[in-house]
Amino acid sequence: YRNLLHGVAFDQITVQMNGSLEGLVIDQLSAVAVNGGTIEGTGQISFGEDAPLDIQVAFNNAQMVQSDLADLILDGGLSLSGRLRDHLLAGALTVTEAEIRIPRRLPQSVATLEVDEVVTDDADEMVEPTPPIITNLDISINAPDRLFVRGLGLDVTLGGGVNLRGTAAKPDISGGFNLVQGRLDVAGQSWTFD
C-alpha cells in the first residue's frame, strides 16, 4: 500500500480472518513499514447495533509517515473495545523518532472549488436520523527527546507527551512538549537554546 500524498507506505500486508453470521474474527493482521518495523493486530467484530467489538493493534518501531514534510516512527499499542456505536479507543504510544521539516516555500494559492447546493422539498422522504457513533478516547503519546523540528535555519529537539481524553468529536488534549536543545541560524547569526 502506498499513499504518496500523506507519506504512508506498507508492504507485506496480511489479513487472516474468519466470518460467520455473528461477526468477524481477525486472527492475524500484519504489515511491514518502509523502515522494517511492523504493525500487528487481532480482534473480533460482532454484527448488530449493540454487538461487541474488541481489536488490538501493536506498533513495533513502525514508520507510519515518510514524506518531504515529516517522518514518524511509533512503538506501542492501541485497542478498540466496546460496542459498534459506543466504544473506547485506548492505549499508549511512544514516538521513537519524529522529524518535522519546515518547507522553504509554501504553495502560493489554494484551488477554489465551485459548489452547487441542491435543496429538495420532499417531505415524503424524511429519514429518521441515525444515532451518532461515540468514540471515547484514552490515549497517551510519549515523545522522549526524539521530536525534531528542522528547516529555515531552525534545528530544535523537543520532548514531552500528550494525553487524549474525551471523545473523537470533542477531544480533551493535555500535556505538551519542552525544548531539549536547539539552534537557530539567521542571516549569519547563530543562537543556541538549552
Side-chain angles (χ1 to χ4, degrees):
Y1 171 79
R2 301 260 187 271
N3 184 320
L4 299 178
L5 179 64
H6 295 104
V8 178
F10 296 106
D11 290 321
Q12 302 174 35
I13 299 171
T14 303
V15 179
Q16 293 178 359
M17 67 174 82
N18 294 303
S20 69
L21 294 175
E22 287 81 36
L24 296 172
V25 175
I26 303 167
D27 296 315
Q28 178 191 12
L29 166 68
S30 63
V32 177
V34 293
N35 68 337
T38 61
I39 299 173
E40 298 172 343
T42 59
Q44 179 175 332
I45 303 169
S46 299
F47 298 141
E49 270 190 44
D50 289 329
L53 69 103
D54 185 21
I55 299 172
Q56 286 83 38
V57 178
F59 304 91
N60 304 301
N61 196 42
Q63 184 151 9
M64 302 302 294
V65 177
Q66 181 183 41
S67 73
D68 292 339
L69 295 178
D71 291 329
L72 173 64
I73 301 173
L74 289 180
D75 270 331
L78 292 174
S79 66
L80 185 64
S81 60
R83 308 262 178 222
L84 289 176
R85 293 217 167 271
D86 187 3
H87 47 263
L88 173 66
L89 179 61
L93 299 173
T94 299
V95 177
T96 56
E97 188 166 329
E99 182 174 342
I100 299 168
R101 291 178 280 282
I102 302 169
R104 291 193 179 276
R105 150 180 326 161
L106 295 173
Q108 293 181 358
S109 66
V110 175
T112 302
L113 300 176
E114 297 294 329
V115 176
D116 292 328
E117 195 170 322
V118 178
V119 178
T120 62
D121 195 20
D122 294 334
D124 295 338
E125 295 183 26
M126 294 295 287
V127 177
E128 195 172 310
T130 304
I133 295 175
I134 300 169
T135 302
N136 297 292
L137 302 174
D138 186 10
I139 302 171
S140 64
I141 302 171
N142 187 27
D145 305 342
R146 301 294 297 164
L147 175 57
F148 305 104
V149 180
R150 296 180 173 132
L152 299 178
L154 184 66
D155 187 354
V156 298
T157 304
L158 303 170
V162 294
N163 295 308
L164 304 174
R165 305 287 187 270
T167 66
K170 289 187 176 183
D172 178 16
I173 303 170
S174 62
F177 297 95
N178 298 312
L179 178 68
V180 176
Q181 63 182 4
R183 180 182 172 104
L184 177 62
D185 296 321
V186 176
Q189 298 292 317
S190 294
W191 293 275
T192 302
F193 309 102
D194 293 322

